[in-house]
Amino acid sequence: MSAIRVDGERVATGVLAEVAARIEARLRAGLPRPHLAAVLVGHDPASETYVRLKRRDAERVGIATSDRRLPESATTSEVVDLVESLNRDPEVSGILVQQPLPPQVEVEAVVAAVDPAKDVDGFHPLNAGRLLLGQSGLVACTPAGIIRLLDEYRVPIAGRRAVVVGRSNVVGKPVALLLLRRDATVTVCHSKTTNLAEVCREADILVAAAGRLGLIRADWVKPGAAVIDVGVNRREDGRLGGDVDPAAAEVAGWLSPVPGGVGPLTRAMLMANTCRAEEARRPG
Ligand code: NAP
């Protein structure tokens, strides 16, 4: 048996087309274009690449973008001041604070400074709390993208056993909450989990978000399971690899590859969140 390859590029293209159509309809109704403002502190090369890709996606769907830059030496209060000015700017629909921030900048203070209504990353404590309480709010892009992938491939969620490997605030915890919201029975694993292999073998849906190359072995995968590989790791030869041994494709029912699985969805969901933030602000 060979797993169905979960094609993130294809699903992301669909999400972007939906967003483009919603924006087009708003423009026809005389409403302004959504606007995504990115905050960049210093010159992290990976951040520059991510922001460039996000700008390209934004152009494709009709979202205006702007970059606000601060020097590597910026203080927490300088970054917070910039974020607050974007909160007040009526032109700005969504604010993206590109991480990593330099070590002297308190990430929590900056994230908490973002207006929750413009928090298109879904990292603000209010939006995280809404997710916990089952209320509607802006949801972090990677977890939202994972659910979208499962839905696109009609993977049943309700009543199924889901195992999430990783408990970060940006991936593991929110995806576990989204799976719970969809009536999965969810187990969250982390670096102190004992018998990780056995727990993984119980999963109908296995989300690997540990950031450890090849951690999940093929014989940890239940035959027919949906395996979503979130990990992005650098192999010795420089290529990217996931947390799941590619040989799992012989066992799984569905497998999302790295690269080409979750990554494109993360960026597409950012566009969807920016559009949603603007729609909530100016319903039209
Ligand atoms: P993170 O903050 O480093 O969290 C990693 C989690 O994995 C932690 O909860 C950690 O446990 C757990 N873990 C680490 N080693 C483990 C092991 N041997 N066994 C079981 N659990 C283990 O990372 P993250 O931000 O959540 O990201 C996870 C991965 O996804 C990274 O590779 C990242 O690059 C990737 N990612 C991809 C996208 C995308 O769009 N494709 C987006 C975001 C992240 P403890 O809590 O006990 O330390």
Side-chain angles (χ1 to χ4, degrees), residues 172-250:
K173 280 184 209 159
V175 79
L177 289 166
L178 289 171
L179 289 163
L180 186 61
R181 185 187 275 192
R182 294 285 297 274
D183 298 324
T185 301
V186 184
T187 304
V188 182
C189 303
H190 45 78
S191 65
K192 309 291 186 298
T193 297
T194 51
N195 301 332
L196 183 62
E198 279 164 40
V199 180
C200 289
R201 280 189 200 109
E202 292 175 2
D204 301 306
I205 298 168
L206 179 58
V207 178
R212 298 279 181 274
L213 182 70
L215 171 71
I216 310 292
R217 309 244 305 266
D219 65 351
W220 296 14
V221 173
K222 181 175 173 175
V227 181
I228 303 294
D229 193 353
V230 189
V232 178
N233 311 291
R234 197 58 76 179
R235 294 177 196 274
E236 273 180 15
D237 63 7
R239 289 183 304 137
L240 293 182
D243 286 1
V244 179
D245 180 349
E250 297 307 313

Side-chain angles (χ1 to χ4, degrees), residues 25-133:
R26 289 177 62 80
L27 294 177
R28 274 202 306 274
L31 292 161
R33 208 175 268 291
H35 180 149
L36 175 62
V39 173
L40 284 136
V41 185
H43 284 284
D44 178 59
S47 295
E48 298 284 340
T49 306
Y50 287 136
V51 168
R52 201 169 51 245
L53 290 170
K54 286 164 187 170
R55 206 181 300 129
R56 195 191 63 188
D57 286 341
E59 278 165 14
R60 267 172 74 182
V61 299
I63 291 175
T65 58
S66 57
D67 296 345
R68 312 295 163 102
R69 291 175 182 274
L70 287 173
E72 184 76 35
S73 59
T75 63
T76 301
S77 67
E78 284 168 341
V79 184
V80 167
D81 285 350
L82 174 56
V83 166
E84 286 175 346
S85 76
L86 295 170
N87 288 344
R88 289 189 300 270
D89 186 339
E91 297 299 313
V92 171
S93 329
I95 302 168
L96 167 85
V97 180
Q98 189 60 51
Q99 293 193 31
L101 291 167
Q104 76 279 7
V105 177
E106 291 165 49
V107 178
E108 281 185 12
V110 173
V111 169
V114 175
D115 178 348
K118 296 187 178 188
D119 171 38
V120 287
D121 265 334
F123 294 163
H124 190 281
L126 189 72
N127 284 319
R130 284 174 174 152
L131 178 60
L132 181 71
L133 298 175

Side-chain angles (χ1 to χ4, degrees), residues 251-273:
V251 189
W254 297 264
L255 178 62
S256 79
V258 176
V262 174
L265 259 290
T266 297
R267 298 205 316 271
M269 297 319 277
L270 179 70
M271 299 305 134
N273 273 352

